[in-house]
Amino acid sequence: GLRERIKIIAAGKILTGFSIVRTRALGADICNSARAMMFALGCIQALKCNTNKCPTGITTQDRELMNGIVVPEKAERVYQFHKKTVL
């Protein structure tokens, strides 16, 4: 049948490990959880991702704005997010 020939990729409002397990149990082959990672990085949802003017420096190429990213701090936040979501 068709199901054996396609992969179902789920995205949207998948924020926690429970969300991933639930979505997989409902039939998804793959889960995309970008929003939660953006929050772990410090996203404030300024809705400027596509303008190169992200005030937190996450989604910009502007060197001035990129200075707002303190890599060791963000690395710890991302580590904690993965630790609490995946393990």
Side-chain angles (χ1 to χ4, degrees):
L2 182 62
R3 182 63 179 102
E4 290 78 34
R5 296 184 293 148
I6 64 169
K7 296 289 182 202
I8 297 175
I9 302 171
K13 307 273 180 170
I14 299 174
L15 303 173
T16 65
F18 177 78
S19 300
I20 294 169
V21 170
R22 180 188 62 214
T23 305
R24 293 279 312 213
L26 289 171
D29 296 301
I30 302 166
C31 293
N32 179 352
S33 181
R35 173 179 254 186
M37 178 59 70
M38 293 298 285
F39 289 150
L41 283 170
C43 174
I44 60 170
Q45 292 187 304
L47 304 177
K48 297 189 181 275
C49 305
N50 64 328
T51 67
N52 208 30
K53 302 276 187 221
C54 172
T56 62
I58 298 170
T59 62
T60 186
Q61 297 296 312
D62 183 319
R63 295 240 182 244
E64 288 286 316
L65 294 172
M66 287 170 54
N67 287 334
I69 298 177
V70 180
V71 176
E73 176 187 314
K74 301 302 181 185
E76 180 62 26
R77 290 175 62 140
V78 169
Y79 167 76
Q80 290 299 328
F81 168 75
H82 277 294
K83 181 178 170 186
K84 292 178 180 181
T85 300
V86 179
L87 299 179

